[in-house]
C-alpha cells in the first residue's frame, strides 16, 4: 500500500508542478512599411515617469540580450529602432492583426527572392492586409513595441496575455520568461 501511495503522490506532485508553470503564448503583428533588413541599432524610449522598481530592468535586460544575440547593437543616440513596452495589470481589450507569417514576409521582401514588379504587386495585394483580431479575455498583458526611429511609426508589436504578481519574489523571473516569449516572435537578424 505504501508503494502505490508513494507513486500516486509523486505523480500528483509532478502534475501540480506542470500546472504551476506559466506558459506564455505570444502573438505579434507588423507594419508592412517596416524596412526590417536595414535596422542595425536599437534603443529604448525614454520614459518621463520612470519605474522606481526593478521590474523594468528585467524587461529591458531581456530585450537587450535577445536583440544583441540577433546582431543588433544598443545605441543611445539616434538608434534605428526604438523599443517601448507596457505591462497591463487589469483586463484589457487589445487589437492585433491576422497577417502572413512574419519570417516568410521578410524573406520575400528581401533581395534574395527575385520577382517581377507585377508578381510583387499581386503578392502584396494578396498578402498585405490587416485583418483585426481582438483580444479580450485576459487578466493583463505584456506588449512590446518596435518603432522605426526615423519615421516615428510602430513597425512591430508583440504581446502575451499575462497576469503578474508584482509582490511575488518570482515576478522578475516571470517577466523575463514572458519577455523572451514575446521577443521570440521578432526573428530579424542583422549583420553589424
Amino acid at each position: 500500500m505504501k508503494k502505490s501511495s508513494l507513486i500516486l503522490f509523486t505523480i500528483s506532485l509532478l502534475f501540480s508542478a506542470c500546472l504551476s508553470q506559466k506558459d506564455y503564448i505570444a502573438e505579434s503583428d507588423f507594419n508592412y512599411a517596416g524596412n526590417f533588413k536595414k535596422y542595425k541599432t536599437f534603443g529604448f524610449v525614454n520614459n518621463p515617469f520612470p519605474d522606481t522598481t526593478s521590474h523594468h530592468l528585467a524587461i529591458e535586460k531581456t530585450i537587450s540580450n535577445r536583440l544583441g544575440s540577433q546582431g543588433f547593437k544598443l545605441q543611445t543616440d539616434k538608434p534605428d529602432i526604438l523599443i517601448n513596452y507596457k505591462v497591463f495589470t487589469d483586463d484589457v481589450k487589445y487589437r492585433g492583426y491576422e497577417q502572413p507569417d512574419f519570417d516568410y514576409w521578410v524573406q520575400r521582401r528581401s533581395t534574395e527572392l527575385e520577382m517581377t514588379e507585377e508578381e510583387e504587386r499581386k503578392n502584396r495585394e494578396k498578402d498585405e492586409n490587416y485583418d483585426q483580431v481582438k483580444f479580450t479575455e485576459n487578466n493583463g498583458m505584456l506588449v512590446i513595441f518596435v518603432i522605426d526611429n526615423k519615421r516615428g511609426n510602430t513597425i512591430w508589436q508583440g504581446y502575451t496575455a499575462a497576469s503578474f504578481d508584482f509582490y511575488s519574489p518570482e515576478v522578475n523571473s516571470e517577466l523575463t520568461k514572458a519577455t523572451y516569449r514575446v521577443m521570440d516572435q521578432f526573428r530579424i537578424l542583422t549583420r553589424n
Side-chain angles (χ1 to χ4, degrees), residues 38-70:
K38 295 204 180 210
Y39 305 126
K40 299 192 181 314
T41 59
F42 75 97
F44 289 92
V45 171
N46 290 327
N47 186 347
F49 306 103
D51 189 348
T52 58
T53 67
S54 65
H55 308 314
H56 73 285
L57 296 175
I59 295 171
E60 289 183 12
K61 181 179 178 187
T62 304
I63 293 170
S64 294
N65 288 341
R66 180 61 191 220
L67 290 177
S69 73
Q70 292 171 233

Side-chain angles (χ1 to χ4, degrees), residues 24 164-177:
Y24 299 104
F164 299 104
D165 178 3
F166 287 100
Y167 298 108
S168 167
E170 300 297 319
V171 68
N172 285 344
S173 175
E174 292 300 318
L175 285 167
T176 298
K177 285 183 212 174

